[in-house]
Amino acid sequence: MNKNDVASIRKEFKVDNTKLKIAEVVSIYVKGDLKQVIGIEKEYFERMDAQKQDLYLKNFKKLLTGPLDAKVFELEFTDNKLGQNPNQRALIETLQPHHFAKGTEEIAHRIIENCHYEGDYMLTFLRGEVYKPSKRSSAGDDSGLDDVVFSFEFFMGSINPVMLPKTALKFDFEDRVFKADIPMDVTINLSAPLDGFMFPAWHDDAADVNKVVYYSSKANAPNPEFLSQVLGCDFQRTAQTEKEQFLEIVQEVAGKEIEAEKIADIYENLNTLITRNEEEENPEAASVGVKDMEKILQASGVGNTQGLETAFLKVTGTEKYEFKAANIAPNFKGKSLKIENNTVSISVNPQDLRYIKQVKRDGKRYLLIEIDETVNLEGFELSTETF
């Protein structure tokens, strides 16, 4: 499941969208400190007023929002070679209309018993269906496949925090006294889910019941109890972990001191790999294994790569591991790299690294940046000195 797959579903979450059909919503209020359910509401989506529909849709749309492998994860079920994972079977059963209410209650029970959230919270489950057109056929193809529509049935679960009302001081005009105003109703924060999921996952024109999409409110910090006890999924490396491990391997091979131009070449080679994969419309994410990494390092001017396989095995734990290229490459559309020490901190585009050098003169280090125009500081143009 790539970012385009996620976006293709996310964009449909809007009121009065004929391509999105929401059947029912189950909401469960949980008293957090007591681990006790104190209220359940089961409602057909079409019977809600438009404002309530919009609140729920924005909440569930949030579960498909954020960078992949940082906030949105596609996960496989643990020990599921024969399709015997009990959590997967439970999710498949819950997807059925006649079992949805009972299935969501069972999932809610697992969440309440195994996960800890501060204060009260609301569990909400939604069952729906999205109608999606097939991918466009090639030019000149008269097969008529452009008109084929695929139906994707899914359900989602969301955990949202409860916001307690604030006590205020009010003036009673009738009795001419000041009183504490203590409101009774609480507010459900539907704009900031703590955890959530969608089942099944989606690839091109087909649902994938062997995978589930998980959302974490904290970037690069998925909830391990939710993954193992609620979804029954294997934990995977986050985007941040992959990037850290990739750079650790590069340091093992090239050394900790390296020219900025070589780093620029490494990142540009990674970006080329990603771009080529997107141009070929390959649904699988571009990946980098040990052999790919060797080619990238050699093409970037790192001549001696003899220790690469040893370093790769040491860091990843296996020679067969493949990094997702999108996780280890910086964003080429902005100033995504930071150069800093205790004196300076600047952000630069990855492709501009080749114009930056660290030089030494008279025993002092300097950061030398090649520029093609005058630098501005607080509205002043800096004067140019001969180095």
Side-chain angles (χ1 to χ4, degrees), residues 66-135:
L68 292 180
D69 297 327
K71 300 198 74 171
V72 180
F73 300 81
E74 182 187 47
L75 304 174
E76 296 183 355
F77 296 99
T78 305
D79 298 328
N80 201 41
K81 294 181 180 179
L82 300 177
Q84 296 300 310
N85 183 289
N87 298 74
Q88 182 199 25
R89 293 203 305 270
L91 291 176
I92 292 175
E93 290 179 0
T94 305
L95 193 59
Q96 308 307 312
H98 65 276
H99 193 77
F100 182 69
K102 181 180 178 181
T104 54
E105 288 181 13
E106 293 173 352
I107 295 172
H109 177 74
R110 291 204 300 273
I111 293 173
I112 294 169
E113 290 300 315
N114 297 287
C115 301
H116 174 73
Y117 300 104
E118 293 291 336
D120 296 352
Y121 55 92
M122 183 180 77
L123 306 176
T124 307
F125 301 93
L126 169 151
R127 183 173 65 85
E129 187 174 7
V130 170
Y131 299 97
K132 291 174 53 61
S134 169
K135 283 191 172 182

Side-chain angles (χ1 to χ4, degrees), residues 28 47 50 57 85 121 131 151 182 191 204 209 211 214 225 279 287 306 310 313 324 337 340:
I28 303 172
R47 296 179 183 176
L57 287 178
N85 183 289
Y121 55 92
Y131 299 97
S151 170
I182 306 176
S191 64
D204 291 330
V209 296
K211 295 179 181 179
Y214 164 73
E225 286 78 20
E279 290 175 348
S287 59
Q306 290 183 354
T310 301
L313 177 61
K324 291 183 180 179
L337 294 181
E340 60 183 346

Side-chain angles (χ1 to χ4, degrees), residues 233-246:
C233 291
D234 288 323
F235 176 75
Q236 67 178 42
R237 292 174 172 90
T238 64
Q240 179 179 331
T241 300
E242 283 210 317
K243 185 172 184 178
E244 290 172 351
Q245 291 185 337
F246 175 80

Side-chain angles (χ1 to χ4, degrees), residues 34 70 103 346:
L34 300 177
I346 61 173

